Structure formats: structure tokens, C-alpha cells
Amino acid sequence: MLRLVLQRLGFGGLTILAASVLIFVGTELLPGDLASAILQNTATPENLAEMRAQLGLDRPAPVRYIEWISHAAQGDLGVSLSNQRPVADELAPRLRNSFFLAGFAALVSVPLAVFLGLMAAIYQNSYYDRAVNFFTLMTISIPEYLVGYLLVKYFSVRWQIFPSLANVTSETGFLERIDLTFLPMLTLVLVVVAHMMRMTRASVLNIMASPYIEMAFLKGLTKARVVVRHAFPNALAPIIAVIALNLAYLVVGVVVVESVFVYPGLGQLLVDAVSKHDVPLVQACGLIFSCVFILLNLTADILGIISNPRLRRPR
Amino acid sequence: MSDGPILDVEKLRIEVRTDAGPGPVLVDDISFSLQKGQVLGLIGESGAGKSTIGMAVLGYTRANCYITGGRLLFQGRDIRTMSADERRALRGPGVAYIAQSAAASFNPAHTLMDQICEIPVQLGLMSQAQARARAIELFGELDLPNPAGFGDRYPHQVSGGQLQRAMAAMAMAARPAVLIFDEPTTALDVTTQVEVLASFRKLIREAGTAAIYITHDLAVVAQIADDIMVLRHGKMIEYGRADDILQNPQQDYTKRLVAERAEGHGGGQTHTQTPLLEIRHVTASYTGLAKVIDDVSLAISPGDTLAVVGESGSGKSTLARVVMGLLTREQGDVRFAGDSLPARLNDRTREQLRRVQMIYQSPDVALNPNQTLLQIIGRPVQFYFGRNRAAVRARVLELLKMMDLPADFIDRKPAALSGGQKQRVGIARALAAEPDLIICDEVTSALDQLVGEEILRLLKRLQDELGIAYMFITHDLGVVRRIANKVAVMRHGVVVAAGDTKTVFAPPMHPYTELLLSSVPEMRADWLDDVLAGRG
């Protein structure tokens, strides 16, 4: 099993490297470069060339890639063009905010989705099952900004329970932070819960066709115990994989929700950086996003391996 | 409690009902009763309704099956009129179930101990510690190795025979009044079957548990049952004392079942011509693993039937794959009609491919479900002989006729055929290439006893008519004695004995051949006692 885990870790590392190459090549292919972005209107062929030499842009791309990635590995992500501050300082608070919101949403949505999915499997084809399926399908089908605005309309404007703006700063206390981010969290939960819940239900029901499930019923166990203790542990691997995908989405895919609630997260930062042609910042955001994605999927893979007793305990 | 029967089943009827309306009747008009300590054997081929009856006693029916008539009295209470909770409470302490495949019926995610203790602890009959102690005691009674530590293993960590016994321990955990054994030894090798059977018998005799023993193998049930009921198509054929059924069967169907084991076709004469197939010192393995077959040498002459026998894992199917070229041999030579066959399938000429054909264990898997019989059987005709469509169709019709299959089957697909008919299609497909040698890989083991018997007769007839040689891979020694003139006994990838069937199976025998032979159940009630006594 250790070999399998190490193998996955190795592949994960390679994937991150490949993603970094893609990000670098992608920004290289953009029209214009760092020098023209800095000089903007004042660019003449002469000072462009001078600026390129000064920034080291006249060197071949592979050399610059290796320099960038080795600096990034040591935590040096370069300097932002828009305000000359180190990219890392620019990123750090945004990253914390993004992780906070994602973590908050995950803590609510994952247990909720698994619970709803298990209940739907236990009461398969009941009214409860149909209602949950219908409701979650509905929330996943409505665009997230609409979900966000609807929540704002009712929870902030009409009933005035939660604030509509999630404008947290580094001084915001924990409880206030929870209060401020409640509606964005709810929006995200509504968007991701359907996928995880449906996967839990489908995986468990798939396992329910196994001979050992029939045996569990013949032993005289209740349906709830059969589902939770006999079917669920064997359905874990696909459920974990879907949870990981959704967690990744919570970190990297929430630009729209951030804008609705004016939440200072990474997504907003990336959008700003793109519009300002801030190439180092864009590259850094891309690198972080791909790392989060790959690490979460890697974790899911490894948990999937660990959840299999055949691999955990060989003969 | 009164002295009445523990279980009294009267005129039981079970039907399939779907949204589309009523389906076939699975079980009809079945009545029997069971006293404390009594064992009833239910005998019949697949689809006879044996398992359906067994599960009905647990108050359980599979999806879309319904008990539509009769009574199922357990200690005087009708299981049919019980509430769902009462039925659930019946399972475990009332009636417990032992399934055919322990490997599929144990949950892979939990240890054996957890699964065995589950019911007594859940029902509040025992504490966890008591249930553990009970399980360890049962492991000892079932002759499992290291009873104290056995339960801490996961299902995949123990052997098939051990798992089957662990399943019996699970069923016995809550001290049931009635045990249902559903083909519990069918998936095991013969030598393992003897041990497991002996453990089961000891267990129910000591505990005085009543039992229903379901099997298709009359010789197995003869060792354990007091009464036997023979079933066919959901109806009772014959019901009586085990000895009476075995020695004096009244119904024609029962007579055929009893006769099957006893019948002998004779081994046929030994052929002394130059060998058709010669396997010389062949060694092979799956990549990176230990040798699966090691230094195997065998020969088959034209018209020979060479049976390759051994238990699962002995390398007999691997040998077939090497001869076919599906697996590349690592050392040695395979010669066919005097010429060396290339080791890899892709290097063989079309003529070399044509002359060696194969029939598989499971026709369900070996036949393409989307093709008609014309396509399945016509493909080799067209591929090897390049005939036009009319000629191919004529040839397929001819082959169907040889198989005793109706001509109008030609445009059907495999799903419309029975198991025995599908296997005939598999044979027809092999014959379509007009081969000199056919490798038969466990061709009867997926079939019911009497159906398998017909297939063996068909193969024998084809051999007499066409002079084909067979390499017959099987674990069933009963089959070997009836059809093969030569035999090779394999164990752990090595041929331990080979030669004429009469010589190999007559004293002095190799000890392993003797063990295998003595493990084949015989149609008499005291066979198991004799075997166990013989082994001390």
C-alpha cells in the first residue's frame, strides 16, 4: 500500500509541475509581455528592449521558467506590477479569506450532503427521497449569482438576519466573520450539496445490490444499519472523489459568489490582476489554484486507497 | 415448547409479480416439516426453486417475488403473517442462513469477528465480550486454525474453505433453531469440500440444530441429510427418507440423478500413433510472479481425450492458455503435428490457429450477446474457409443440426437460449473451424448435472464421428473417469501423475491422486464417515 501511496504522491508532484508549465506557457502566449505592460503608452522600441534586458525577458523562455518555478518553490512569487509589493504579501490575506469561506462551506455541506444522501438511500423512492432529489437538483440548476441575490433579498433586505456584504478585513473577529460570511457560505452550500448528496446516494445504492448486503438483511439487521454500516464503508471511494472535486471548486471556483457579496477572496484578486495585466500575480494565482486542485484530488486518491481493506491489509 | 415440528411448511407458493403483471410461479405446492435436530436436503438443478424456499423460511423474498399461498409455521407462528420487525427478529436466533459464496457474502470492509458478533450484540442477546467468546468457541468447533486470532482477519485474508466455515460461525452465533445451508460447498475444491462438510455435520449434530441443506449434488446431501426432497421447476418430485431416495428412487427424474454418478462411459482405447500435440518441459508465469506452470510435459494423440485435473490454482487453465498462445511460454516447446507452434498467438499462421480451438467454461461470457448464432458460428467458417454467405449459412445450419439444436435458432441471440444450448453453440463455434484438437476448459462446471451430462455425451459422439482430440480441463474427477482415456493430475503447477486413466487411477497411486479421488462424494450415506476414518 505504501508503494501505491508514494506512487500517487509522485504523480501528484509531476502534475503540479505540468500545470506550472501550462500556466507559464499560457501567460507567454498572451499578446504583449511584462515590459510592454509596465511601459504601456510610453513604450518605444528602444526603451522596450532596454526594459526587457533589465527584467531579463530577453533570455530564452525555458531559462525564465526555471527561474520562476524555483523562486516560487521557495515562496518568492515575484513582485506585483500594479503596486510594486511582493506578490506573496498581496496573496496571503486573500488566500486566508478564501480558505476560511471554503472551509466554512465544506464543514456545513459535506456532513449535510452525506447525511441527506444516506437518508435518501435508506428511504429509496420515498417522498423524502424524491423531495431531496428535486430540491438539490433545483439549487444546482439555478445560477449561483441568482441564488446569492435571492438569499440577499430575503435574509438581508426583507428579514434583515444576515448582512448582504461580506467585507471582512484582517481585524474582523471570528464570530463577526461567521456572521458576515454566512450568506456566501449558504450560497456555496446550496450549489455543491446536490452533487455530493447524489453521489452518496448512487454509490450506496450501487453497493446495495451486492450479495453481502442481501446477507446482512438475512442476518436480521435493520435497513438503517445495513446502509450505514455495510454499504457506506464500501461506497466511500467514489464519494470521497466527488467531495474532493467540490472542495476544490469551493476554493477556486467561487469568483461569482465573491463578487455578489464583495468578499475579498482569491477569485476577485485573480480577476483584478487579469484586468490590470499584472502577469506575476496572475501566474501566482494560477499556480495556487492548480496546487489546491491537485492536492485535494491527491488526498481523495490516497483516502480511497486507505478505505480499501484489501490494500490496507494485504494477505 | 411443545414437541411439534420447529418448522412446518404447507403448500408454499411463491410467484414473481412485476408492474407488468404476474410472472412465472417459482415455487408451487411445497410442503415439509422439520423436527429439532433433523436435516432436510433440498435437491434440484438451478431454477428449481431451492434457494427461494430457503429464503422464504427466513421471511425473505428477492425483489418482485411474493409468497402467494400456503403457510410457513415457525414454532407454530406463521412467518407470512408476521410484521416486518417480527420477521427481522426471527432471523438470527430463529433461522440463520449460510450462502453459497462466502467470498461474496462477507462484507469486505469489516473483520470477520465484527460481522460474526454483530447479530447477537445488536439484538442484545450477548455483550460484545460474550459474543467474542462464543465466536472463538465456534471457530474451534469448526476446526479453524488459531481460533483466538482468526476473527481479527478480514474476509480477503483467509482461504475459501475457512471463509465458508466462518460463515457457519456467523450463522450459529445467535444459536438459531433452524439453519439454512444454500449450496455451501459448491464453490469449493473437492478436497476442501470434504473438510467443510465434516465440520458442518459435526456442528449441527452437537448443537442439535435443525437444518435445510440446499444443493444440486445428491452425493453431498447424502452425507448430511435425514430426509431428501427432490425439486424440479418449483415443484416437488419426490420426498422421503434419504436412504430410500438414494437406494430406491421412485420417480424417473430422481433415478436419472442417482444414476448419473454411477454411470460409466468407459475410458476408450489408448491411441499409440504419433502425438498430435506435444508439450515439452513448458514453464510459464504471469509477469513478475512465481512460475504458474513448471516443467510440464504432456502428449495427446489423434482421437485422444486427455483430462487435465487439479484444484483451483493448480495451473491447468494456464496450461491451456499456453497451448493456445494466449500466454507466452517462457521455456520449453509446444509441438503440433510435428511442428513447433510459435509461442505467441500473433506469430501463428491461420492454419495453425484453425487446428486448435477452445470451448470455454461460461458460455454467457464467451458468446457475444449482440450477435445471432449465424454470426457467432458463421464467423470462423468465413474466416478460415472464406466461403460466401449462402455457403456459410448452410454450414451453420449443418453445425446446429450436429448439436441437436433447431434450425430456426440460427437468427436468435444467445440470451434466448438455455445454459446447455449456449454451451452447444460454443461447441459448434469450435467445430466450425474443423479443428484437430479442442481444448475444453471446465465446459460442464457452469451447467446443471444432467445438462452437463448431455454435453459430455455430445462431445463423445463428435469424437467418435470426427476423430477430434480433446484436452479436457476439469476439477471434476467423476467426469474424467467417464470420458478420458488419458489423464494428467496437476498440483501447484507441476504434473504429479500422468498416463492412461486406468493406470493413474488404479493403485499404486500418487498420494495426491488418491486424496483427490477419495474426496469425490459418493452416492452412499456412509461415504463421509469412511473418508474421515480413512484419514484418521
Side-chain angles (χ1 to χ4, degrees):
Chain A
M1 189 185 91
L2 190 66
R3 227 188 81 185
L4 264 178
V5 171
L6 288 177
Q7 203 178 21
R8 288 300 145 95
L9 284 174
F11 278 127
L14 283 179
T15 317
I16 289 179
L17 268 184
S20 72
V21 171
L22 281 181
I23 291 163
F24 188 81
V25 170
T27 46
E28 282 289 302
L29 289 177
L30 289 176
D33 62 1
L34 200 49
S36 57
I38 294 170
L39 295 172
Q40 294 195 359
N41 297 338
T42 62
T44 63
E46 294 78 39
N47 57 16
L48 258 183
E50 192 186 330
M51 184 60 109
R52 285 199 177 118
Q54 198 182 326
L55 292 167
L57 290 179
D58 51 346
R59 292 173 303 156
V63 175
R64 283 181 287 124
Y65 167 74
I66 287 170
E67 187 184 76
W68 172 64
I69 196 69
S70 55
H71 283 165
Q74 294 159 31
D76 174 10
L77 292 165
V79 175
S80 164
L81 292 184
S82 44
N83 54 12
Q84 309 306 318
R85 289 176 55 195
V87 170
D89 294 354
E90 198 76 343
L91 276 175
R94 296 301 191 106
L95 196 58
R96 266 199 298 277
N97 286 344
S98 273
F99 278 144
F100 180 82
L101 181 57
F104 190 17
L107 274 181
V108 175
S109 63
V110 172
L112 183 70
V114 170
F115 175 76
L116 290 177
L118 284 178
M119 293 296 278
I122 293 173
Y123 299 107
Q124 188 194 356
N125 296 335
S126 66
Y127 286 111
Y128 163 80
D129 182 24
R130 284 171 210 188
V132 166
N133 268 304
F134 175 77
F135 185 72
T136 51
L137 197 62
M138 200 177 69
T139 60
I140 207 177
S141 312
I142 301 175
E144 53 211 82
Y145 62 87
L146 191 59
V147 174
Y149 283 130
L150 281 174
L151 291 177
V152 167
K153 177 170 179 198
Y154 288 96
F155 283 91
S156 329
V157 179
R158 187 160 299 178
W159 302 324
Q160 307 198 344
I161 306 173
F162 294 108
S164 63
L165 293 184
N167 48 350
V168 297
T169 64
S170 50
E171 281 88 49
T172 315
F174 182 73
L175 285 179
E176 199 188 345
R177 210 173 250 263
I178 296 272
D179 184 48
L180 285 173
T181 55
F182 195 85
L183 285 186
M185 179 280 290
L186 198 57
T187 312
L188 290 175
V189 166
L190 287 175
V191 172
V192 297
V193 97
H195 196 190
M196 294 189 284
M197 171 262 156
R198 294 179 141 247
M199 193 62 183
T200 305
R201 178 180 180 276
S203 306
V204 166
L205 286 181
N206 188 23
I207 297 287
M208 291 298 277
S210 312
Y212 56 80
I213 296 298
E214 181 171 68
M215 187 68 217
F217 281 119
L218 289 175
K219 278 165 77 177
L221 298 171
T222 59
K223 180 143 192 195
R225 188 168 169 92
V226 172
V227 167
V228 173
R229 187 160 164 81
H230 286 267
F232 184 55
N234 291 292
L236 272 178
I239 297 173
I240 291 172
V242 164
I243 288 178
L245 270 180
N246 281 285
L247 292 186
Y249 165 81
L250 286 178
V251 178
V252 308
V254 297
V255 178
V256 175
V257 176
E258 283 177 9
S259 355
V260 168
F261 294 95
V262 201
Y263 185 71
L266 264 189
Q268 288 258 42
L269 185 68
L270 176 62
V271 172
D272 290 348
V274 169
S275 59
K276 286 179 190 157
H277 295 280
D278 194 340
V279 177
L281 197 51
V282 172
Q283 284 177 333
C285 285
L287 200 57
I288 285 172
F289 283 172
S290 35
C291 283
V292 167
F293 222 92
I294 290 162
L295 284 178
L296 279 169
N297 278 297
L298 193 62
T299 315
D301 264 8
I302 291 172
L303 285 178
I305 292 171
I306 294 173
S307 78
N308 183 344
R310 280 164 201 276
L311 298 173
R312 191 171 69 228
R313 301 255 194 133
R315 268 175 178 274
Chain B
M1 203 189 302
S2 70
D3 290 340
I6 288 183
L7 189 68
D8 200 1
V9 174
E10 288 170 27
K11 297 189 178 303
L12 179 66
R13 183 181 170 92
I14 301 173
E15 292 175 62
V16 174
R17 280 188 187 166
T18 61
D19 296 342
V25 178
L26 298 177
V27 170
D28 193 18
D29 197 19
I30 298 295
S31 304
F32 60 86
S33 68
L34 207 56
Q35 308 283 340
K36 186 176 190 309
Q38 195 184 12
V39 181
L40 168 70
L42 289 184
I43 283 282
E45 55 198 36
S46 54
K50 314 179 294 280
S51 298
T52 313
I53 296 172
M55 288 186 179
V57 174
L58 289 140
Y60 181 89
T61 48
R62 290 201 162 130
N64 295 328
C65 299
Y66 297 92
I67 301 176
T68 53
R71 296 201 297 170
L72 284 156
L73 297 176
F74 176 77
Q75 293 176 343
R77 292 192 305 147
D78 192 348
I79 295 170
R80 277 188 74 194
T81 57
M82 287 181 181
S83 71
D85 282 343
E86 283 173 327
R87 264 183 229 174
R88 208 179 56 240
L90 169 78
R91 298 174 195 160
V95 189
Y97 183 78
I98 295 168
Q100 172 169 358
S101 169
S105 299
F106 267 110
N107 192 326
H110 301 296
T111 62
L112 295 172
M113 186 58 93
D114 282 349
Q115 300 187 57
I116 291 167
C117 295
E118 190 170 13
I119 271 298
V121 173
Q122 280 294 303
L123 293 177
L125 300 172
M126 300 176 198
S127 69
Q128 182 71 34
Q130 283 171 324
R132 257 192 97 84
R134 163 88 177 138
I136 290 169
E137 185 191 329
L138 283 166
F139 293 155
E141 284 175 26
L142 284 160
D143 310 307
L144 284 162
N146 181 19
F150 182 77
D152 298 325
R153 305 214 212 156
Y154 282 86
H156 69 272
Q157 293 175 310
V158 305
S159 73
Q162 290 171 353
L163 207 53
Q164 205 70 46
R165 278 179 272 183
M167 169 104 73
M170 181 157 81
M172 289 296 284
R175 303 182 198 276
V178 179
L179 267 179
I180 315 283
F181 291 90
D182 193 352
E183 302 258 13
T185 63
T186 307
L188 303 175
D189 281 321
V190 275
T191 51
T192 320
Q193 172 171 286
V194 173
E195 297 159 13
V196 172
L197 212 49
S199 294
F200 284 173
R201 198 174 62 173
K202 189 171 92 181
L203 190 72
I204 49 184
R205 280 190 184 164
E206 283 173 7
T209 313
I212 295 177
Y213 199 101
I214 296 166
T215 175
H216 68 278
D217 192 336
L218 202 46
V220 164
V221 86
Q223 311 311 317
I224 203 159
D226 304 303
D227 289 349
I228 288 177
M229 179 186 283
V230 182
L231 294 161
R232 195 177 192 199
H233 306 317
K235 293 200 169 63
M236 189 193 86
I237 301 288
E238 202 164 351
Y239 176 34
R241 302 285 308 160
D243 289 344
D244 292 343
I245 299 269
L246 290 172
Q247 278 153 26
N248 192 16
Q250 299 299 312
Q251 299 297 321
D252 196 42
Y253 180 69
T254 319
K255 284 178 186 162
R256 277 160 61 205
L257 278 182
V258 172
E260 191 267 342
R261 286 276 180 194
E263 193 178 338
H265 292 234
Q269 70 282 13
T270 307
H271 303 267
T272 48
Q273 291 153 277
T274 48
L276 179 68
L277 179 80
E278 241 188 311
I279 300 167
R280 290 185 185 168
H281 306 291
V282 163
T283 297
S285 69
Y286 297 99
T287 33
L289 297 171
K291 289 174 189 168
V292 181
I293 52 174
D294 190 4
D295 195 23
V296 168
S297 299
L298 291 170
I300 302 177
S301 297
D304 260 352
T305 300
L306 168 72
V308 180
V309 298
E311 298 184 277
S312 49
S314 62
K316 50 192 196 304
S317 290
T318 306
L319 183 63
R321 290 174 63 83
V322 168
V323 173
M324 291 301 292
L326 293 168
L327 180 70
T328 308
R329 59 181 183 260
E330 287 167 2
Q331 283 165 36
D333 196 9
V334 176
R335 301 182 77 82
F336 191 81
D339 300 320
S340 177
L341 278 179
R344 279 157 34 89
L345 193 65
N346 292 348
D347 299 336
R348 295 189 183 178
T349 66
R350 194 169 282 208
E351 184 66 6
Q352 284 170 332
L353 293 176
R354 182 188 68 76
R355 296 181 72 181
V356 185
Q357 293 292 316
M358 189 152 174
I359 309 171
Y360 300 86
Q361 173 171 7
S362 172
D364 285 321
V365 183
L367 302 179
N368 186 335
N370 286 323
Q371 291 186 341
T372 62
L373 301 199
L374 174 65
Q375 289 170 302
I376 291 171
I377 305 171
R379 171 68 187 154
V381 178
Q382 201 255 331
F383 178 76
Y384 290 118
F385 306 106
R387 305 224 178 116
N388 64 34
R389 287 177 63 174
V392 168
R393 195 176 173 90
R395 175 68 178 144
V396 172
L397 283 171
E398 193 186 335
L399 286 163
L400 286 177
K401 194 163 171 245
M402 278 168 88
M403 297 304 121
D404 297 324
L405 289 173
D408 61 348
F409 273 24
I410 192 163
D411 294 315
R412 293 199 191 175
K413 291 181 176 177
L417 274 58
S418 72
Q421 288 170 337
K422 281 184 229 176
Q423 195 57 291
R424 283 165 193 262
V425 174
I427 297 171
R429 177 173 62 183
L431 276 185
E434 299 174 23
D436 298 311
L437 172 69
I438 297 182
I439 297 178
C440 306
D441 189 359
E442 301 270 13
V443 286
T444 59
S445 60
L447 303 173
D448 286 316
Q449 199 172 321
L450 293 176
V451 179
E453 189 66 11
E454 284 164 20
I455 293 290
L456 290 183
R457 252 181 258 153
L458 172 67
L459 287 170
K460 186 77 194 147
R461 196 191 79 208
L462 293 170
Q463 185 169 50
D464 292 342
E465 288 171 12
L466 306 168
I468 307 166
Y470 295 126
M471 180 167 155
F472 211 94
I473 289 160
T474 180
H475 67 276
D476 186 344
L477 282 102
V479 171
V480 176
R481 272 191 284 189
R482 268 174 276 136
I483 68 151
N485 61 329
K486 285 185 178 173
V487 65
V489 181
M490 287 189 75
R491 189 186 197 193
H492 304 323
V494 179
V495 175
V496 295
D500 291 346
T501 310
K502 286 174 204 142
T503 323
V504 172
F505 283 171
M509 281 185 268
H510 186 277
Y512 182 68
T513 312
E514 201 169 346
L515 177 72
L516 274 182
L517 266 186
S518 69
S519 302
V520 178
E522 288 171 25
M523 205 75 82
R524 55 193 172 90
D526 49 1
W527 166 78
L528 186 59
D529 298 309
D530 291 352
V531 172
L532 296 173
R535 289 181 193 174

